[in-house]
Amino acid sequence: MKKLLLTGFEPFLEFPINPTEKVVEALNGTKIGDYEIKGVLLPVDFKESPVKILEAYHEHQPDAVISLGLAGGRNSITPERIAINCRDGEPDNSGARLEDSPIDEEGPDGYFSTLPIRKLVNRLKENGLPAEISNTAGTYLCNNVMYTILHEIKKSGREIPAGFIHIPASHQLAAKSKRSLPSWSDSDLQDAVKKMIEAL
C-alpha cells in the first residue's frame, strides 16, 4: 500500500487550538483510498518545522504529501496553488520574527503545488463542502513548510503529489476565540481531508 505523509501544526499566535492537530491525530495510521496515513505534528517554528517535515519525509519515503494549516477566518477548504521563497510575518512560537528572509538562498522564487488542486476542490464541492483554490499561502509557517517539501522533492528527482491545504477553524476553536470565526465541526474537517485523499 502507498504511504501519505499528513502534517498539521500545533496552536499558534492567538489561536489556543489548532484543528489540524486533531485531524492529523485522528487520521494517523488509518487507510484511506490507496494510502496508509503517516501523521506528523509540526512545531510553529521557522527553524524547526522544516527540519521535522524533512525528517518525516526521509523516514517514511511517502508517495504523497499533504500539509494542513489553519486559516482562521476562511470559511472554505483552500488548497494552495503556490509557495514562495520568503519568510515574513508575526513571531513564531519561539519568538523568532523574520522579515523578507529567503527560505533557501539558492532556491527558486516559488513552487507550484503538485497536488491536483482543482480536482480536490471539485470533489469537495460535489459532496456539499465549501472549497476554493487559494493563490497565496502567505509568508508564515504554512508557506515555509510547503516550499520546503516541494523543494526537497524537486531536488530528489521524484515526482509525487505534494502541497498545502488550509482549513477553517473548528467549532471548538471558534468558541474560544476572541473574534468571530467561521467554523466547521471536527467531523466535517476530517471528512473533507479524507475525501481529498481519496481523490488522489
Side-chain angles (χ1 to χ4, degrees), residues 23 26 29 31-33 36-37 43 47 60 86 93 114-115 119 127 133 141-142 145 152 158-159 176 182 195 200:
V23 173
K31 293 176 174 59
I32 303 171
E36 180 183 358
I37 310 304
K47 182 178 179 180
H60 297 297
C86 180
N93 283 359
T114 54
L115 295 172
K119 181 179 181 182
N127 285 273
I133 291 172
L141 270 295
C142 299
V145 162
E152 185 69 13
R158 299 183 71 202
E159 292 186 7
K176 289 179 175 291
K195 282 181 167 49
L200 292 181

mmCIF file of all heavy atoms in Angstrom, residues 23 26 29 31-33 36-37 43 47 60 86 93 114-115 119 127 133 141-142 145 152 158-159 176 182 195 200:
data_model
loop_
_atom_site.group_PDB
_atom_site.id
_atom_site.type_symbol
_atom_site.label_atom_id
_atom_site.label_comp_id
_atom_site.label_asym_id
_atom_site.label_seq_id
_atom_site.Cartn_x
_atom_site.Cartn_y
_atom_site.Cartn_z
ATOM 1 N N VAL A 23 -7.074 16.655 13.328
ATOM 2 C CA VAL A 23 -7.247 15.905 12.077
ATOM 3 C C VAL A 23 -6.100 14.913 11.890
ATOM 4 O O VAL A 23 -6.318 13.740 11.575
ATOM 5 C CB VAL A 23 -7.328 16.864 10.865
ATOM 6 C CG1 VAL A 23 -7.322 16.066 9.560
ATOM 7 C CG2 VAL A 23 -8.581 17.727 10.934
ATOM 8 N N ALA A 26 -6.341 12.045 14.354
ATOM 9 C CA ALA A 26 -7.452 11.140 14.051
ATOM 10 C C ALA A 26 -7.150 10.241 12.858
ATOM 11 O O ALA A 26 -7.562 9.076 12.825
ATOM 12 C CB ALA A 26 -8.721 11.947 13.789
ATOM 13 N N GLY A 29 -2.307 6.532 10.887
ATOM 14 C CA GLY A 29 -2.395 5.073 10.948
ATOM 15 C C GLY A 29 -3.595 4.485 10.235
ATOM 16 O O GLY A 29 -3.704 3.261 10.124
ATOM 17 N N LYS A 31 -6.226 3.874 6.885
ATOM 18 C CA LYS A 31 -6.082 3.619 5.459
ATOM 19 C C LYS A 31 -7.216 4.339 4.730
ATOM 20 O O LYS A 31 -8.383 4.119 5.045
ATOM 21 C CB LYS A 31 -6.091 2.124 5.165
ATOM 22 C CG LYS A 31 -4.876 1.400 5.729
ATOM 23 C CD LYS A 31 -4.944 -0.102 5.516
ATOM 24 C CE LYS A 31 -3.652 -0.766 5.958
ATOM 25 N NZ LYS A 31 -3.339 -0.537 7.376
ATOM 26 N N ILE A 32 -6.853 5.202 3.794
ATOM 27 C CA ILE A 32 -7.827 5.993 3.048
ATOM 28 C C ILE A 32 -7.508 5.853 1.567
ATOM 29 O O ILE A 32 -6.397 6.190 1.141
ATOM 30 C CB ILE A 32 -7.776 7.478 3.455
ATOM 31 C CG1 ILE A 32 -8.021 7.638 4.965
ATOM 32 C CG2 ILE A 32 -8.796 8.280 2.657
ATOM 33 C CD1 ILE A 32 -7.765 9.053 5.473
ATOM 34 N N GLY A 33 -8.449 5.342 0.814
ATOM 35 C CA GLY A 33 -8.194 5.131 -0.614
ATOM 36 C C GLY A 33 -7.009 4.214 -0.808
ATOM 37 O O GLY A 33 -6.953 3.124 -0.237
ATOM 38 N N GLU A 36 -1.911 4.546 3.157
ATOM 39 C CA GLU A 36 -1.792 4.443 4.610
ATOM 40 C C GLU A 36 -1.276 5.790 5.095
ATOM 41 O O GLU A 36 -0.291 6.318 4.561
ATOM 42 C CB GLU A 36 -0.822 3.337 5.005
ATOM 43 C CG GLU A 36 -0.659 3.199 6.509
ATOM 44 C CD GLU A 36 0.354 2.143 6.901
ATOM 45 O OE1 GLU A 36 0.917 1.478 6.001
ATOM 46 O OE2 GLU A 36 0.604 2.004 8.110
ATOM 47 N N ILE A 37 -1.931 6.366 6.099
ATOM 48 C CA ILE A 37 -1.615 7.720 6.539
ATOM 49 C C ILE A 37 -0.563 7.721 7.639
ATOM 50 O O ILE A 37 -0.697 7.029 8.646
ATOM 51 C CB ILE A 37 -2.882 8.445 7.044
ATOM 52 C CG1 ILE A 37 -4.022 8.310 6.027
ATOM 53 C CG2 ILE A 37 -2.569 9.905 7.349
ATOM 54 C CD1 ILE A 37 -3.704 8.791 4.639
ATOM 55 N N PRO A 43 6.028 21.785 14.720
ATOM 56 C CA PRO A 43 6.061 22.966 15.587
ATOM 57 C C PRO A 43 5.886 24.234 14.766
ATOM 58 O O PRO A 43 6.254 24.290 13.587
ATOM 59 C CB PRO A 43 7.462 22.898 16.201
ATOM 60 C CG PRO A 43 8.289 22.196 15.167
ATOM 61 C CD PRO A 43 7.370 21.202 14.510
ATOM 62 N N LYS A 47 12.603 27.635 12.285
ATOM 63 C CA LYS A 47 13.801 26.799 12.194
ATOM 64 C C LYS A 47 13.465 25.310 12.275
ATOM 65 O O LYS A 47 13.998 24.497 11.507
ATOM 66 C CB LYS A 47 14.780 27.179 13.313
ATOM 67 C CG LYS A 47 16.080 26.404 13.281
ATOM 68 C CD LYS A 47 17.014 26.870 14.400
ATOM 69 C CE LYS A 47 18.319 26.074 14.399
ATOM 70 N NZ LYS A 47 19.232 26.519 15.486
ATOM 71 N N HIS A 60 9.737 8.111 6.111
ATOM 72 C CA HIS A 60 8.606 7.349 5.576
ATOM 73 C C HIS A 60 8.656 7.159 4.062
ATOM 74 O O HIS A 60 7.974 6.270 3.545
ATOM 75 C CB HIS A 60 7.294 8.045 5.958
ATOM 76 C CG HIS A 60 7.059 8.118 7.432
ATOM 77 N ND1 HIS A 60 6.902 6.994 8.221
ATOM 78 C CD2 HIS A 60 6.961 9.190 8.275
ATOM 79 C CE1 HIS A 60 6.709 7.355 9.471
ATOM 80 N NE2 HIS A 60 6.738 8.675 9.531
ATOM 81 N N CYS A 86 10.060 32.972 0.687
ATOM 82 C CA CYS A 86 10.092 34.129 1.592
ATOM 83 C C CYS A 86 9.492 33.759 2.943
ATOM 84 O O CYS A 86 8.480 33.061 3.008
ATOM 85 C CB CYS A 86 9.302 35.294 0.980
ATOM 86 S SG CYS A 86 9.280 36.790 2.003
ATOM 87 N N ASN A 93 6.356 30.516 17.466
ATOM 88 C CA ASN A 93 6.153 30.159 18.882
ATOM 89 C C ASN A 93 7.426 30.251 19.723
ATOM 90 O O ASN A 93 7.357 30.224 20.953
ATOM 91 C CB ASN A 93 5.563 28.747 18.987
ATOM 92 C CG ASN A 93 4.083 28.719 18.666
ATOM 93 O OD1 ASN A 93 3.465 29.743 18.369
ATOM 94 N ND2 ASN A 93 3.488 27.528 18.687
ATOM 95 N N THR A 114 1.975 20.330 -6.443
ATOM 96 C CA THR A 114 1.832 19.204 -7.370
ATOM 97 C C THR A 114 0.627 18.335 -7.003
ATOM 98 O O THR A 114 0.441 17.259 -7.556
ATOM 99 C CB THR A 114 3.120 18.346 -7.418
ATOM 100 O OG1 THR A 114 3.465 17.944 -6.084
ATOM 101 C CG2 THR A 114 4.271 19.143 -8.012
ATOM 102 N N LEU A 115 -0.177 18.819 -6.042
ATOM 103 C CA LEU A 115 -1.467 18.181 -5.790
ATOM 104 C C LEU A 115 -2.436 18.561 -6.916
ATOM 105 O O LEU A 115 -2.331 19.656 -7.469
ATOM 106 C CB LEU A 115 -2.063 18.654 -4.459
ATOM 107 C CG LEU A 115 -1.321 18.294 -3.175
ATOM 108 C CD1 LEU A 115 -1.954 19.020 -1.987
ATOM 109 C CD2 LEU A 115 -1.312 16.790 -2.951
ATOM 110 N N LYS A 119 -9.049 19.259 -8.900
ATOM 111 C CA LYS A 119 -9.778 18.012 -8.660
ATOM 112 C C LYS A 119 -10.218 17.916 -7.196
ATOM 113 O O LYS A 119 -11.341 17.485 -6.900
ATOM 114 C CB LYS A 119 -8.898 16.815 -9.031
ATOM 115 C CG LYS A 119 -9.552 15.461 -8.860
ATOM 116 C CD LYS A 119 -8.589 14.354 -9.270
ATOM 117 C CE LYS A 119 -9.220 12.976 -9.128
ATOM 118 N NZ LYS A 119 -8.258 11.892 -9.494
ATOM 119 N N ASN A 127 -19.531 17.041 -2.902
ATOM 120 C CA ASN A 127 -20.031 16.458 -1.656
ATOM 121 C C ASN A 127 -20.605 17.512 -0.706
ATOM 122 O O ASN A 127 -20.785 17.254 0.482
ATOM 123 C CB ASN A 127 -18.908 15.679 -0.970
ATOM 124 C CG ASN A 127 -18.617 14.358 -1.647
ATOM 125 O OD1 ASN A 127 -19.248 13.341 -1.341
ATOM 126 N ND2 ASN A 127 -17.671 14.355 -2.580
ATOM 127 N N ILE A 133 -9.739 27.261 -4.584
ATOM 128 C CA ILE A 133 -8.292 27.356 -4.653
ATOM 129 C C ILE A 133 -7.848 28.698 -4.076
ATOM 130 O O ILE A 133 -8.455 29.731 -4.337
ATOM 131 C CB ILE A 133 -7.808 27.208 -6.109
ATOM 132 C CG1 ILE A 133 -8.036 25.768 -6.596
ATOM 133 C CG2 ILE A 133 -6.328 27.581 -6.238
ATOM 134 C CD1 ILE A 133 -7.773 25.573 -8.075
ATOM 135 N N LEU A 141 4.450 30.209 8.527
ATOM 136 C CA LEU A 141 4.922 28.830 8.617
ATOM 137 C C LEU A 141 4.321 27.909 7.570
ATOM 138 O O LEU A 141 4.965 26.955 7.120
ATOM 139 C CB LEU A 141 4.649 28.271 10.025
ATOM 140 C CG LEU A 141 5.750 28.467 11.065
ATOM 141 C CD1 LEU A 141 6.997 27.702 10.703
ATOM 142 C CD2 LEU A 141 6.059 29.923 11.318
ATOM 143 N N CYS A 142 3.075 28.161 7.175
ATOM 144 C CA CYS A 142 2.428 27.293 6.188
ATOM 145 C C CYS A 142 3.176 27.346 4.862
ATOM 146 O O CYS A 142 3.513 26.315 4.268
ATOM 147 C CB CYS A 142 0.975 27.710 5.996
ATOM 148 S SG CYS A 142 0.001 27.585 7.516
ATOM 149 N N VAL A 145 6.675 25.608 5.167
ATOM 150 C CA VAL A 145 6.634 24.141 5.084
ATOM 151 C C VAL A 145 6.332 23.681 3.648
ATOM 152 O O VAL A 145 6.942 22.739 3.149
ATOM 153 C CB VAL A 145 5.589 23.594 6.085
ATOM 154 C CG1 VAL A 145 5.199 22.170 5.746
ATOM 155 C CG2 VAL A 145 6.145 23.669 7.509
ATOM 156 N N GLU A 152 12.490 19.994 -1.619
ATOM 157 C CA GLU A 152 13.183 18.730 -1.355
ATOM 158 C C GLU A 152 12.794 17.664 -2.381
ATOM 159 O O GLU A 152 13.649 16.914 -2.871
ATOM 160 C CB GLU A 152 12.861 18.243 0.062
ATOM 161 C CG GLU A 152 13.626 17.005 0.485
ATOM 162 C CD GLU A 152 15.110 17.255 0.690
ATOM 163 O OE1 GLU A 152 15.527 18.435 0.746
ATOM 164 O OE2 GLU A 152 15.856 16.274 0.819
ATOM 165 N N ARG A 158 12.152 13.113 -7.566
ATOM 166 C CA ARG A 158 10.908 12.342 -7.514
ATOM 167 C C ARG A 158 9.751 13.173 -8.061
ATOM 168 O O ARG A 158 9.802 14.405 -8.046
ATOM 169 C CB ARG A 158 10.589 11.915 -6.076
ATOM 170 C CG ARG A 158 11.641 11.023 -5.449
ATOM 171 C CD ARG A 158 11.205 10.598 -4.058
ATOM 172 N NE ARG A 158 10.098 9.641 -4.123
ATOM 173 C CZ ARG A 158 9.250 9.414 -3.124
ATOM 174 N NH1 ARG A 158 9.348 10.096 -2.000
ATOM 175 N NH2 ARG A 158 8.294 8.520 -3.248
ATOM 176 N N GLU A 159 8.727 12.491 -8.509
ATOM 177 C CA GLU A 159 7.508 13.169 -8.962
ATOM 178 C C GLU A 159 6.323 12.571 -8.218
ATOM 179 O O GLU A 159 5.797 11.531 -8.591
ATOM 180 C CB GLU A 159 7.333 13.005 -10.478
ATOM 181 C CG GLU A 159 8.389 13.747 -11.284
ATOM 182 C CD GLU A 159 8.120 13.693 -12.776
ATOM 183 O OE1 GLU A 159 7.034 13.199 -13.178
ATOM 184 O OE2 GLU A 159 8.993 14.147 -13.540
ATOM 185 N N LYS A 176 -13.709 29.518 21.570
ATOM 186 C CA LYS A 176 -12.688 30.069 22.451
ATOM 187 C C LYS A 176 -12.082 31.369 21.925
ATOM 188 O O LYS A 176 -11.352 32.056 22.635
ATOM 189 C CB LYS A 176 -11.565 29.047 22.658
ATOM 190 C CG LYS A 176 -11.937 27.847 23.498
ATOM 191 C CD LYS A 176 -10.773 26.894 23.633
ATOM 192 C CE LYS A 176 -11.094 25.736 24.583
ATOM 193 N NZ LYS A 176 -11.204 26.166 25.977
ATOM 194 N N PRO A 182 -15.674 31.944 11.185
ATOM 195 C CA PRO A 182 -16.443 30.861 10.569
ATOM 196 C C PRO A 182 -15.842 29.538 11.044
ATOM 197 O O PRO A 182 -14.617 29.442 11.233
ATOM 198 C CB PRO A 182 -16.195 31.056 9.062
ATOM 199 C CG PRO A 182 -15.618 32.417 8.910
ATOM 200 C CD PRO A 182 -14.934 32.745 10.198
ATOM 201 N N LYS A 195 -11.851 12.903 1.917
ATOM 202 C CA LYS A 195 -12.341 12.970 0.529
ATOM 203 C C LYS A 195 -11.247 13.455 -0.419
ATOM 204 O O LYS A 195 -11.145 12.989 -1.564
ATOM 205 C CB LYS A 195 -13.578 13.850 0.458
ATOM 206 C CG LYS A 195 -14.839 13.145 0.943
ATOM 207 C CD LYS A 195 -16.081 14.009 0.846
ATOM 208 C CE LYS A 195 -17.332 13.188 1.038
ATOM 209 N NZ LYS A 195 -17.326 12.306 2.203
ATOM 210 N N LEU A 200 -7.028 11.601 -4.662
ATOM 211 C CA LEU A 200 -5.694 11.398 -5.233
ATOM 212 C C LEU A 200 -5.606 10.095 -6.015
ATOM 213 O O LEU A 200 -4.715 9.923 -6.818
ATOM 214 C CB LEU A 200 -4.627 11.387 -4.128
ATOM 215 C CG LEU A 200 -4.353 12.708 -3.390
ATOM 216 C CD1 LEU A 200 -3.266 12.515 -2.358
ATOM 217 C CD2 LEU A 200 -3.998 13.810 -4.360
#
